[in-house]
Each structure stands twice: as structure tokens, then as C-alpha cells.
Amino acid sequence: MSSPQDIPDAARRERWPDAEQVLDVRRETVGATTVLRFVGEIDTDTAPLFRAHLAKARRNTTAATPLIVDLSGVTYLASPGLSVLIEAHNEHRRLHTRLLVVAGSRATRVPIMTTGLHAQLDVVITLAQALPSIT
């Protein structure tokens, strides 16, 4: 099975036509740190897009420059999105880099807390809490 990052843009839009309309991402750089801000829903349809963005951003992380994933604008986080977060966390651990998750909305905090993932992931409530931890 191919992953979204391996599929050309036109084919990806054909396979997941609504994903980019339901999940928006903004990429920022704060110092040397990449911050991905997601807005919308992360479910079965958008999880491949979510995974692709995390994988692409992971290429720019080092032990000194973590990746911050800001989910404050996410309005729905289903189990496929949680699975992507676990995969990303495990990959960052394997590479000896750091992934910080900002779960600032109830829609993201509740699934992360009720599944117990807060004990595995590096989770904070605000972006401001994540930024001082990178220095």
C-alpha cells in the first residue's frame, strides 16, 4: 500500500478528494523548530494527509530541534489520528528526536487522555508551554 507522500498531488486529490478541505495545516518556524498547526478534523479520510505532513516535517528535526504538532484547532480527533500520533512518536524515539503535541482543545485532549496516550506522548496544553521546552 502506498503512502500519501509517495503519491503525486493529482492522484492524491483523486484518492482523498476532501481531505485538504477538511484538514488544513500551517507550517511555521520558531527559531530552528518546526511548528505544524492543524485545523479541522482528523479521521479515517484525513489521517493519511496528517501522516504525510508529520513525515515530511520529521525530516527537518534533530535532537536539538523538535517538531511541535499544534492540534489546538482540531475539532475532531478519531482513532486513526491517534494511531498516526503514536507512529510519529515511535519514529521520533527511534531517530532520537522529539515530538511535542499541543492538545489545546477538548476535542483533542479528551481522546488523548481517555486512551492513556498522554502517558506515552509528550503533551502540553498550549503552544506557549511547548516553546520554552525547546530551549
Side-chain angles (χ1 to χ4, degrees):
M1 184 172 144
S2 57
S3 63
Q5 66 264 26
D6 298 331
I7 299 173
D9 286 342
R12 184 170 49 238
R13 281 191 295 275
E14 182 177 315
R15 191 164 176 188
W16 299 288
D18 299 327
E20 292 177 1
Q21 295 172 0
V22 178
L23 182 64
D24 184 45
V25 63
R26 302 262 188 254
R27 183 183 179 126
E28 301 174 17
T29 303
V30 179
T33 300
T34 299
V35 178
L36 294 181
R37 292 179 184 242
F38 290 91
V39 176
E41 301 174 359
I42 303 174
D43 57 14
T44 302
D45 293 334
T46 59
L49 181 63
F50 183 46
R51 180 180 288 111
H53 282 291
L54 293 179
K56 184 176 180 182
R58 183 173 48 244
R59 295 181 200 134
N60 297 325
T61 62
T62 66
T65 58
L67 172 61
I68 297 175
V69 178
D70 186 353
L71 302 178
S72 299
V74 171
T75 56
Y76 180 69
L77 180 60
S79 60
L82 295 172
S83 294
V84 169
L85 285 174
I86 293 167
E87 291 168 12
H89 169 78
N90 290 339
E91 186 63 13
H92 277 270
R93 285 188 67 193
R94 187 183 71 74
L95 297 170
H96 303 287
T97 58
R98 190 167 175 209
L99 174 71
L100 291 162
V101 178
V102 179
S105 68
R106 186 176 194 285
T108 57
R109 246 187 344 269
V110 169
I112 289 171
M113 298 294 284
T114 58
T115 57
L117 290 179
H118 65 286
Q120 183 177 356
L121 302 174
D122 196 352
V123 180
V124 295
I125 303 302
T126 67
L127 182 58
Q129 290 172 318
L131 291 173
S133 70
I134 63 173
T135 58

